[in-house]
Amino acid sequence: MMMNFDVLEEDVIKAKERYIENISPLKLKIFPSKEKQKYILLRFIVKLFDKDKKYSEKEINEILKPVYEDYVMLRRYLVDYQYLDRLDNGQVYWVK
């Protein structure tokens, strides 16, 4: 499911103020229900991963755990929104 939104700088600023508790290290207050807000936050989250590295599911989880308590949901959205790709068996992940 490829998502594409027209994202303005003010959208990013609002998302940061509303959903991000801390930018470095990244920590979310809450995860939004609106698709455009999810898209914006996932752009921040995907920056935690190295584009040239392959990750196990466990490694992905370890990176996402400090970001938000429901790290499994974050991992799923990163794949659904095509920020991350993975093998069908879920054993290897990488940044798209």
Side-chain angles (χ1 to χ4, degrees), residues 4-94:
N4 215 350
F5 296 96
D6 289 329
V7 177
L8 304 172
E9 186 61 30
E10 65 191 50
D11 296 324
V12 174
I13 291 167
K14 282 181 191 171
K16 282 166 110 173
E17 289 172 355
R18 178 174 271 166
Y19 303 109
I20 296 178
E21 182 177 312
N22 194 27
I23 199 78
S24 184
L26 186 60
K27 175 104 175 112
L28 302 183
K29 296 180 207 173
I30 55 172
F31 196 74
S33 57
K34 294 193 167 149
E35 299 301 320
K36 185 175 182 178
Q37 302 299 326
K38 288 178 190 169
Y39 177 79
I40 291 169
L41 286 180
L42 291 168
R43 290 191 338 190
F44 283 100
I45 295 168
V46 77
K47 291 176 184 171
L48 300 172
F49 300 95
D50 183 340
K51 289 185 181 125
D52 300 320
K53 184 174 177 190
K54 304 279 191 224
Y55 295 91
S56 68
E57 185 174 291
K58 184 178 184 215
E59 289 172 313
I60 295 283
N61 291 345
E62 290 305 311
I63 291 168
L64 294 177
K65 275 179 187 177
V67 176
Y68 193 62
E69 61 190 29
D70 192 350
Y71 59 91
V72 173
M73 177 195 63
L74 293 182
R75 188 185 70 229
R76 189 172 58 244
Y77 277 124
L78 284 165
V79 172
D80 288 351
Y81 282 64
Q82 299 184 354
Y83 285 102
L84 294 181
D85 206 350
R86 67 181 181 147
L87 294 179
D88 288 340
N89 65 12
Q91 291 191 354
V92 180
Y93 290 75
W94 61 91

